[in-house]
Amino acid sequence: MKIELSEHINCEIINGVEEDSNSKFYMIKDVFACIKVENRMPLKVERNTDIFPYTITKKDDSTFLLNADYYIGLDWLIVGKKFINVVPKINTKLLENYRKSLDLEEETDAEKEAKIDEEVQQEVEKEAKNTFKNDKLNYLQMLLDVYAANLTEKEIGNLVTIYWDAEKIKIEQKEDQLTPFLVVQFLNLLKSIVRKGLKKSYYKVQENLTNKVKGKILVGTHIKQNVFKNRMTKTFCEYQVFGENNTENKFLKKVFQFCISYVQNNSFFKNTPEITHIINYCRPAFELINDDLKESQLHQLKYNPFFKEYKEAIKIGNYILKQFAYNISATSANEIETPPFWIDMPRLFELYFYQKLLKANNYDRGKIQYQFSTFGNSLDFLISDGGNSMVIDSKYKLHYKQGHIHSDIRQVSGYARLRKVRNELNLDVENDTHVDCLIIYPDLHADKDFIYSTNNISAEIKKEENKIKAYHKVYKLGIKLPVI
């Protein structure tokens, strides 16, 4: 029922009855005939083109080629029968080859490139079979680090796409990648809300008062509760109170309780003291908030522009409640049903580097411009710092195809030629200075404690091992990713 792949790994789906392997999956004729390439759900649309989280092509009448790409997650290949599960495991051969490809002295011809690609693909597939050698990427730690940098909602963007209307997929709790991701997002948003202070607003309270009237009398309820029971000194009233015990905070507390239960029952969070710290930090703020939230009140939640985190927290909170079908006992179940989803790993990698860049440069957003846009192009990072100025492009690309490497380099070089970019760096038309170009890529052997200040980066990329020798003033720098 499951086709499990690591990122950037190919496999064949074959019409047959043999057992599955790491690179080949066999299906009986009736099931194989149900594969429809056109039924894939698009992830997003860019420039009027559908972007898909994986590629599948028909090789011949009895074989499909399936290629996992830049996303991790779950999706149906054949609804109700077969699903694809892309897990966050990094194939070390892909990382090694990407680094070697950037070191090439010159471009090779197309025939030689094709031969190299074929040889490398064989090495990668051989390495993929040794699954115990593949490092499992700790994407939750990356997400924790991103939120710790207090990035704005606009900067973080949409990291996860969930298809709530699709048929759910039954998996084991330990295989679930979506819920831990949502829980980490929500808890970090909640921490930010608590740090600023819970929102206060007017909310309605219903109470059976003694010897007084407050607000308005709820006549129907008053007759049932008091008149029929001969309680003549009581009056059932509804009145408004200004405080923190409002519907929005009740909702946050409800989701918070789900998150605490999930963290306590899930092995994902055994070695994450950051999560325990966040829970302990937020818990006191909700001690005086009631949890008597009715389902009808979930549709009455309001957003206030002065409390921007609430909008995102309520959105993620709704995702979490849907994931557990509003049943807190589901947080400890061994099996769960989850909708198809995809986590955008290139975006997460980009943000992971961004938070390191900000921390090392005192959060100077004047010097570090993220997603600098010009003429339909969007640069990942533009550094405006005098002699340390540069254009940086982060590449969560672990492709082994040589042609893709050169296109990445040409892309970042082209950004540096844009007139708007040069104007931003105070380089006029008469100035022929070449702007430094830098490609950031994943490298498990990089220095974990490297401080990404502009001074440090500028000095580091001038070292011989970080020069891309086939190009002028184009450099590479690996960043170490957390692994389990």
Side-chain angles (χ1 to χ4, degrees):
M1 189 172 181
K2 176 176 66 176
I3 298 176
E4 185 171 292
L5 296 173
S6 301
E7 297 172 73
H8 307 282
I9 297 298
N10 297 333
C11 78
E12 291 184 348
I13 301 172
I14 301 171
N15 184 0
V17 292
E18 296 182 39
E19 292 185 4
D20 297 340
S21 67
N22 288 78
S23 57
K24 294 181 180 179
F25 294 86
Y26 295 86
M27 296 182 186
I28 59 175
K29 184 178 179 181
D30 291 345
V31 177
F32 184 86
C34 294
I35 299 177
K36 305 293 181 185
V37 176
E38 62 273 13
N39 288 347
R40 283 181 304 161
M41 292 184 287
L43 188 72
K44 55 186 175 180
V45 178
E46 285 186 2
R47 298 179 183 180
N48 298 320
T49 303
D50 287 338
I51 305 297
F52 295 97
Y54 63 91
T55 58
I56 182 168
T57 54
K58 194 168 186 178
K59 183 179 179 182
D60 52 50
D61 290 339
S62 61
T63 310
F64 281 97
L65 295 178
L66 178 65
N67 181 30
D69 217 333
Y70 310 120
Y71 306 90
I72 61 174
L74 289 169
D75 199 0
W76 287 111
L77 180 63
I78 304 170
V79 177
K81 295 180 179 179
K82 291 281 185 180
F83 66 89
I84 298 167
N85 182 22
V86 181
V87 296
K89 287 184 178 178
I90 294 181
N91 188 297
T92 52
K93 282 290 180 184
L94 283 169
L95 291 177
E96 288 173 14
N97 189 71
Y98 192 90
R99 188 171 62 250
K100 290 175 182 176
S101 299
L102 290 171
D103 289 333
L104 289 177
E105 290 287 346
E106 57 185 19
E107 282 193 71
T108 54
D109 57 52
E111 187 176 337
K112 191 174 180 180
E113 277 187 6
K115 187 177 179 182
I116 294 172
D117 291 342
E118 186 178 349
E119 291 173 355
V120 172
Q121 184 172 352
Q122 291 173 358
E123 288 182 10
V124 168
E125 289 177 355
K126 184 179 178 182
E127 185 80 4
K129 292 178 182 178
N130 300 321
T131 53
F132 64 91
K133 288 186 177 180
N134 292 343
D135 291 296
K136 189 172 182 181
L137 184 65
N138 193 344
Y139 64 99
L140 293 178
Q141 185 60 56
M142 293 174 68
L143 187 64
L144 280 167
D145 290 346
V146 166
Y147 274 100
N150 295 323
L151 303 184
T152 65
E153 180 188 337
K154 184 179 179 181
E155 288 173 327
I156 291 176
N158 191 18
L159 285 171
V160 61
T161 300
I162 306 172
Y163 303 98
W164 291 111
D165 296 329
E167 184 176 330
K168 291 192 173 183
I169 302 170
K170 183 177 284 188
I171 58 172
E172 291 184 22
Q173 181 82 269
K174 63 183 180 181
E175 295 179 324
D176 184 17
Q177 298 172 109
L178 174 61
T179 310
F181 193 85
L182 295 176
V183 167
V184 168
Q185 277 190 297
F186 177 80
L187 289 177
N188 277 281
L189 287 166
L190 199 64
K191 182 182 177 182
S192 179
I193 289 170
V194 171
R195 186 189 296 118
K196 292 183 178 179
L198 296 183
K199 170 187 172 184
K200 290 184 178 182
S201 63
Y202 285 101
Y203 58 94
K204 292 179 180 179
V205 174
Q206 294 181 357
E207 189 178 0
N208 209 6
L209 301 174
T210 303
N211 293 325
K212 64 178 178 180
V213 175
K214 194 173 183 180
K216 66 179 182 180
I217 300 173
L218 299 179
V219 178
T221 309
H222 173 66
I223 292 171
K224 290 177 184 178
Q225 295 267 351
N226 301 321
V227 176
F228 287 166
K229 296 178 181 180
N230 202 28
R231 296 172 178 169
M232 297 308 174
T233 59
K234 295 280 189 179
T235 310
F236 202 92
C237 301
E238 181 181 83
Y239 56 93
Q240 285 192 328
V241 175
F242 184 77
E244 295 178 344
N245 198 27
N246 50 52
T247 306
E248 290 82 2
N249 290 334
K250 287 180 181 180
F251 173 82
L252 294 181
K253 181 173 183 177
K254 185 180 185 69
V255 181
F256 185 43
Q257 290 170 336
F258 272 72
C259 290
I260 292 172
S261 177
Y262 183 77
V263 168
Q264 290 172 345
N265 290 287
N266 200 290
S267 58
F268 272 108
F269 300 101
K270 280 184 179 178
N271 299 312
T272 51
E274 298 97 332
I275 293 295
T276 305
H277 168 74
I278 293 172
I279 290 173
N280 292 335
Y281 181 83
C282 295
R283 200 192 302 267
F286 290 92
E287 287 294 327
L288 299 178
I289 305 297
N290 297 337
D291 55 3
D292 56 343
L293 188 69
K294 299 177 183 176
E295 193 172 337
S296 59
Q297 292 178 294
L298 296 176
H299 307 291
Q300 301 172 10
L301 301 174
K302 298 178 182 179
Y303 305 116
N304 188 320
F306 289 103
F307 297 89
K308 295 179 181 179
E309 291 87 354
Y310 269 77
K311 184 176 182 180
E312 186 69 12
I314 289 170
K315 183 182 84 171
I316 302 296
N318 272 309
Y319 288 169
I320 291 171
L321 294 183
K322 281 183 183 179
Q323 187 72 345
F324 294 120
Y326 300 89
N327 182 3
I328 198 165
S329 63
T331 58
S332 58
N334 292 325
E335 284 190 339
I336 66 162
E337 289 188 338
T338 181
F341 71 93
W342 293 104
I343 297 172
D344 191 339
M345 292 306 295
R347 181 77 172 174
L348 183 58
F349 175 68
E350 191 177 281
L351 292 168
Y352 182 69
F353 172 68
Y354 182 38
Q355 59 89 18
K356 285 187 173 292
L357 200 58
L358 286 175
K359 285 179 182 177
N361 293 279
N362 298 318
Y363 294 87
D364 188 348
R365 284 176 167 83
K367 183 167 65 176
I368 301 167
Q369 297 188 55
Y370 177 56
Q371 292 293 319
F372 182 81
S373 298
T374 170
F375 304 113
N377 298 291
S378 184
L379 288 67
D380 287 349
F381 307 97
L382 178 61
I383 308 298
S384 308
D385 188 24
N388 297 326
S389 297
M390 67 185 78
V391 173
I392 302 178
D393 207 16
S394 62
K395 293 296 180 185
Y396 188 72
K397 287 188 176 181
L398 310 180
H399 276 303
Y400 38 77
K401 295 188 176 180
Q402 308 300 319
H404 289 188
I405 307 298
H406 291 293
S407 65
D408 292 346
I409 297 170
R410 289 176 187 133
Q411 183 185 33
V412 70
S413 302
Y415 289 154
R417 290 278 185 173
L418 289 168
R419 186 161 290 175
K420 187 176 178 181
V421 171
R422 296 179 65 84
N423 289 341
E424 191 69 23
L425 300 177
N426 297 318
L427 299 174
D428 56 36
V429 179
E430 303 300 323
N431 193 329
D432 291 332
T433 302
H434 289 282
V435 180
D436 287 346
C437 299
L438 175 61
I439 289 178
I440 296 289
Y441 66 97
D443 184 2
L444 297 184
H445 302 292
D447 181 7
K448 181 176 72 173
D449 299 319
F450 184 79
I451 299 172
Y452 291 87
S453 66
T454 55
N455 287 333
N456 284 357
I457 293 174
S458 190
E460 186 70 17
I461 62 177
K462 297 300 191 292
K463 293 179 180 178
E464 199 64 27
E465 64 267 22
N466 290 320
K467 294 179 180 178
I468 299 178
K469 300 177 179 65
Y471 293 86
H472 179 60
K473 298 194 81 173
V474 181
Y475 309 94
K476 67 183 190 300
L477 189 61
I479 179 172
K480 190 173 181 66
L481 299 182
V483 295
I484 300 173

